[in-house]
């Protein structure tokens, strides 16, 4: 607050100047303060991420490195810390992918393949990630071939063909009941089909 001139109220000559230049300086200082705070927070996240790697807690580590990447200011001072966060996240994503592969969790948003590709995207020269992607894709293709062989054996077995014919007969009867509004009878037939083949596509379309 301005100090009043002796013997009266404060006048213009007593006011503290606060023009456009002062406002700009304050705004600049505020921005600098925010950048420093964010830099310190990101540095702590990187440190925690590195400790998590040491304990092989890769998912926890990845969370810390990604947090650091989100909050780091876009300043020359933060460049080295950003490199550390990127490298740490890459190591975590690679090791998570390895664990997912060993557990047979290959595809999907949380599968081995997505984590391995994310690791490679951080450094295209990361040869270990390239080899890991090849292993995962080979495993996916191998499992697809295995499922196809099992499906062919299943759909050509005498037992399957007998069940298929029975299901088709019951579904025809269920549709006949529906046409005459005998819904209880139709539902009973559909339940018999479901007992044989829970994944019946025709059943799902009809019920």
């Amino acid at each position: 607050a301005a100090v009043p001139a002796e013997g009266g109220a404060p006048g213009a000559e007593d006011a503290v100047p606060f023009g456009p230049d002062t406002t700009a300086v304050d705004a600049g200082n505020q921005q600098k303060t925010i950048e420093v705070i964010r830099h310190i927070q990101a540095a702590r996240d990187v440190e925690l991420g590195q400790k998590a790697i040491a304990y092989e807690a890769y998912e926890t580590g990845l969370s810390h490195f990604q947090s650091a990447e989100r909050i780091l200011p876009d300043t020359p001072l933060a460049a080295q810390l950003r490199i550390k966060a990127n490298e740490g996240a890459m190591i975590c994503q690679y090791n998570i992918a390895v664990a997912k592969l060993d557990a047979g969790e290959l595809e999907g948003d949380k599968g081995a393949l997505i984590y391995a590709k994310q690791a490679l995207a951080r450094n295209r020269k990361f040869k270990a990630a390239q080899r890991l992607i090849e292993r995962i894709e080979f495993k996916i293709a191998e499992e697809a071939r295995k499922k196809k062989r099992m499906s062919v054996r299943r759909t050509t077995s005498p037992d399957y063909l007998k069940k298929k014919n029975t299901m088709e007969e019951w579904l025809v009867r269920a549709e006949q009941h529906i046409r005459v509004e005998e819904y209880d009878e139709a539902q009973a037939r559909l339940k018999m089909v479901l007992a044989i083949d829970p994944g019946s596509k025709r059943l799902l379309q009809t019920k």
Side-chain angles (χ1 to χ4, degrees), residues 119-138:
L120 182 60
R122 291 179 176 277
N123 183 353
R124 291 295 176 183
K125 296 180 180 180
F126 191 9
K127 299 295 185 183
Q130 292 176 345
R131 291 192 294 270
L132 181 59
I133 290 171
E134 291 171 3
R135 285 174 56 200
I136 295 168
E137 289 178 337
F138 177 81

Side-chain angles (χ1 to χ4, degrees), residues 79-165:
Q80 191 61 36
L81 196 57
R82 191 175 297 279
I83 291 171
K84 289 182 179 180
N86 181 69
E87 290 176 348
M90 180 184 68
I91 292 169
C92 289
Q93 286 165 333
Y94 174 82
N95 282 282
I96 291 170
V98 171
K100 297 279 186 181
L101 173 60
D102 292 342
E105 300 172 20
L106 305 179
E107 297 183 273
D109 292 341
K110 299 292 184 180
L113 186 58
I114 190 72
Y115 280 105
K117 286 183 175 181
Q118 287 171 350
L120 182 60
R122 291 179 176 277
N123 183 353
R124 291 295 176 183
K125 296 180 180 180
F126 191 9
K127 299 295 185 183
Q130 292 176 345
R131 291 192 294 270
L132 181 59
I133 290 171
E134 291 171 3
R135 285 174 56 200
I136 295 168
E137 289 178 337
F138 177 81
K139 187 73 173 178
I140 290 171
E142 186 179 48
E143 289 194 357
R145 288 192 295 268
K146 188 185 297 183
K147 287 179 181 177
K148 187 175 181 180
R149 288 195 299 269
M150 291 176 64
S151 177
V152 169
R153 286 199 297 268
R154 178 175 175 269
T155 56
T156 56
S157 68
D159 183 56
Y160 174 81
L161 293 174
K162 181 180 177 181
K163 287 180 179 179
K164 180 175 178 290
N165 292 334

Side-chain angles (χ1 to χ4, degrees), residues 24-199:
V25 169
D26 284 355
N29 286 337
Q30 288 173 357
Q31 182 61 32
K32 278 287 185 183
T33 301
I34 291 170
E35 288 175 359
V36 170
I37 290 170
R38 288 168 60 186
H39 190 103
I40 292 169
Q41 290 174 335
R44 287 174 178 167
D45 265 319
V46 168
E47 184 180 357
L48 289 170
Q50 291 170 339
K51 287 180 179 178
I53 288 177
Y55 286 99
E56 299 183 359
Y58 297 113
E59 294 198 18
T60 299
L62 179 59
S63 176
H64 283 299
F65 290 123
Q66 289 176 331
S67 174
E69 289 177 322
R70 284 192 299 270
I71 64 178
L72 265 174
D74 187 16
T75 61
L77 181 64
Q80 191 61 36
L81 196 57
R82 191 175 297 279
I83 291 171
K84 289 182 179 180
N86 181 69
E87 290 176 348
M90 180 184 68
I91 292 169
C92 289
Q93 286 165 333
Y94 174 82
N95 282 282
I96 291 170
V98 171
K100 297 279 186 181
L101 173 60
D102 292 342
E105 300 172 20
L106 305 179
E107 297 183 273
D109 292 341
K110 299 292 184 180
L113 186 58
I114 190 72
Y115 280 105
K117 286 183 175 181
Q118 287 171 350
L120 182 60
R122 291 179 176 277
N123 183 353
R124 291 295 176 183
K125 296 180 180 180
F126 191 9
K127 299 295 185 183
Q130 292 176 345
R131 291 192 294 270
L132 181 59
I133 290 171
E134 291 171 3
R135 285 174 56 200
I136 295 168
E137 289 178 337
F138 177 81
K139 187 73 173 178
I140 290 171
E142 186 179 48
E143 289 194 357
R145 288 192 295 268
K146 188 185 297 183
K147 287 179 181 177
K148 187 175 181 180
R149 288 195 299 269
M150 291 176 64
S151 177
V152 169
R153 286 199 297 268
R154 178 175 175 269
T155 56
T156 56
S157 68
D159 183 56
Y160 174 81
L161 293 174
K162 181 180 177 181
K163 287 180 179 179
K164 180 175 178 290
N165 292 334
T166 302
M167 286 168 54
E168 289 178 352
E169 180 183 346
W170 285 340
L171 283 169
V172 169
R173 291 186 183 180
E175 290 168 348
Q176 291 171 346
H177 286 303
I178 289 171
R179 289 191 188 98
V180 295
E181 298 184 1
E182 295 175 349
Y183 299 117
D184 289 342
E185 290 82 354
Q187 188 175 22
R189 295 293 180 185
L190 291 175
K191 285 182 178 179
M192 294 167 74
V193 174
L194 186 60
I196 294 176
D197 184 8

